[in-house]
Amino acid sequence: MPERNHLVQAKSLIRALHGEVHAQPTFWFMRQAGRYLPEYRQTRAKAKDFISLCLNPELATEITLQPIRRFAMDAAILFADILLVPHGLGQQVAFKEGEGPVLAPVASEADIDRLVGGAAGALERLAPVAATLRGVAAALPFDTALIGFAGAPWTVATYMVEGGSSRDFVATRRMANAEPKRFARLIDLLVDVTTDYLDMQIKAGAEAVQLFDSWAGVLTDVEFARWCVAPVREIVRRLETRHPGVPVIGFPKGAGIHYREYAMLTGVDAIGLDQTVPLDWAQSVLQKDAALQGNLDPIFLVIGGAAMEQATKRILETLGRGPFVFNLGHGIRPETPIAHVERLCELIRHWRAT
Ligand code: CP3
């Protein structure tokens, strides 16, 4: 069976995502490359802006490898951004210092038409990402896995419609509920492009892919089923036929009780838990359907000390006896002391399921 062969040959972290239980959990951290590292800040200064940094294979390869050199996590995550997809579709995207992303907002049918027209050239504009993955794959240590990623359609759509970050997502939810046909066109377009983009990443060396749905937690149950679960299920279904055996990690941040429906219906192999998901509930309700990944609150990595140790041990004790990959509940914060990251790696490495 090809599936079984794949498992035998796969790296430890990939096997964990497929459901293998390990006495010593594998781990990586969201945003493990980033501003808390001085070498990242140094490399970033060489590019004229953040998008050019993400689309420069030499610099992006270097940044992807930086945390691996320091901490030897079990996986590297591609250095890129979820907003490369709107950029690839031809939408104007810029990252302003201290302000976050700024996009030309999508509102009218004509705006969507333009994006649909941009889809044909999207993969070509995103081709440098494949070059980054090839560069990283060639340089990784023997058992270190390579994770590719994209934003999930709902979360990417919020940035496209709001024109940047948002607190309340009024424009996006207005379009989703008052102009559902228009919004569905945007979501369908994102399903198509995201699938092709992840397909490109897998062909270039990604051994697993993660879908970041950072704003899944603001939706009603009806919206969640339609705009979060359905598009993710479709992407997973298409990737499964093209790349059976490449695990998909879904991260519906903030989804609360909806995590259950997400685990049962999307078909993802592994679920990224944010820090608000109760551990006992995750273990008893979710871990039978999927491998779990998470969920140390990144604030504990800023605080360090006994608070971080206790929180880490609780996660390992509760989730570490089933299929599990240790991670944070969200990305590493820029003010995180490097010594705390070193200590956390040591805690995970010294823990054994008994
Ligand atoms: O995890 C990694 O190390 C891989 C790289 C990665 C980045 N962004 C690099 C980045 C990944 C996986 C992302 C995902 C991403 N990007 C998400 C989903 C995860 C989440 O955080 O919820 C979202 C919502 C974005 C969009 C985005 N990118 C925003 C809102 C911002 C500005 C806020 C901020 O943190 O600065 C970014 C910029 C960004 N993406 C940085 C990095 C390292 C900081 C840019 C800098 O150097 O100033």
Side-chain angles (χ1 to χ4, degrees):
M1 292 222 331
E3 180 88 1
R4 194 160 279 242
N5 265 341
H6 198 94
L7 263 181
V8 170
Q9 289 160 13
K11 297 173 182 175
S12 308
L13 185 132
I14 303 300
R15 297 202 310 270
L17 295 174
H18 277 302
E20 196 172 281
V21 180
H22 295 158
Q24 191 204 331
T26 50
F27 68 97
W28 66 281
F29 305 130
M30 290 187 276
R31 287 281 178 96
Q32 62 190 24
R35 285 167 292 188
Y36 76 107
L37 292 175
E39 60 269 35
Y40 168 79
R41 298 194 295 268
Q42 216 174 17
T43 307
R44 188 199 197 294
K46 294 183 184 165
K48 76 174 192 310
D49 55 57
F50 184 69
I51 296 271
S52 325
L53 180 65
C54 293
L55 294 178
N56 179 321
E58 194 189 327
L59 299 181
T61 298
E62 162 60 23
I63 292 174
T64 304
L65 293 168
Q66 285 170 348
I68 303 300
R69 287 192 201 114
R70 252 187 207 269
F71 310 109
M73 293 91 170
D74 297 293
I77 178 157
L78 164 72
F79 182 78
D81 197 87
I82 65 165
L83 299 182
L84 290 186
V85 164
H87 170 81
L89 289 169
Q91 188 174 12
Q92 253 185 51
V93 183
F95 284 82
K96 303 247 160 91
E97 207 62 54
E99 212 184 304
V102 181
L103 297 82
V106 170
S108 66
E109 205 60 29
D111 292 337
I112 311 252
D113 290 340
R114 255 193 307 279
L115 294 169
V116 170
L123 278 205
E124 210 172 295
R125 298 184 79 172
L126 299 177
V129 171
T132 300
L133 285 160
R134 285 191 293 269
V136 175
L140 278 181
F142 169 71
D143 196 33
T144 310
L146 178 51
I147 300 176
F149 75 92
W154 160 253
T155 289
V156 175
T158 67
Y159 287 96
M160 296 176 80
V161 174
E162 304 290 334
S165 302
S166 174
R167 281 175 162 275
D168 45 29
F169 308 96
V170 174
T172 320
R173 295 185 66 204
R174 176 176 291 136
M175 193 190 288
N177 289 285
E179 302 164 317
K181 285 211 173 98
R182 179 173 302 171
F183 193 63
R185 268 188 90 204
L186 177 58
I187 292 289
D188 290 348
L189 172 66
L190 288 170
V191 166
D192 290 344
V193 177
T194 303
T195 305
D196 291 344
Y197 179 50
L198 292 173
D199 172 74
M200 177 185 88
Q201 292 186 27
I202 294 166
K203 285 175 179 150
E207 294 155 293
V209 292
Q210 174 154 323
L211 284 166
F212 286 86
D213 218 343
S214 305
W215 305 116
V218 304
L219 298 172
T220 66
D221 51 356
V222 173
E223 292 171 320
F224 186 81
R226 177 150 185 202
W227 307 119
C228 174
V229 170
V232 167
R233 182 175 53 208
E234 184 57 21
I235 293 172
V236 171
R237 193 186 65 76
R238 294 189 199 175
L239 285 177
E240 246 166 22
T241 57
R242 295 195 212 175
H243 302 285
V246 174
V248 180
I249 310 161
F251 179 45
K253 182 175 168 282
I257 204 165
H258 296 149
Y259 260 101
R260 183 160 182 260
E261 174 187 344
Y262 188 94
M264 291 191 310
L265 299 181
T266 56
V268 296
D269 300 276
I271 309 252
L273 305 176
D274 68 74
Q275 63 268 21
T276 69
V277 180
L279 293 174
D280 290 331
W281 183 81
Q283 189 269 328
S284 60
V285 176
L286 303 176
Q287 208 167 24
K288 57 181 159 38
D289 287 321
L292 299 183
Q293 174 180 281
N295 71 342
L296 183 71
D297 193 323
I299 295 291
F300 284 120
L301 202 52
V302 175
I303 302 167
M308 178 177 86
E309 302 203 1
Q310 277 160 21
T312 300
K313 283 187 180 143
R314 249 195 88 220
I315 293 168
L316 290 164
E317 300 285 338
T318 318
L319 302 179
R321 291 178 171 80
F324 178 58
V325 171
F326 193 98
N327 204 314
L328 307 177
H330 197 198
I332 296 186
R333 299 171 61 90
E335 70 270 34
T336 302
I338 288 170
H340 294 179
V341 181
E342 283 166 352
R343 177 73 188 127
L344 177 59
C345 295
E346 206 175 86
L347 283 170
I348 303 164
R349 284 198 184 100
H350 289 157
W351 188 83
R352 289 276 186 290
T354 48

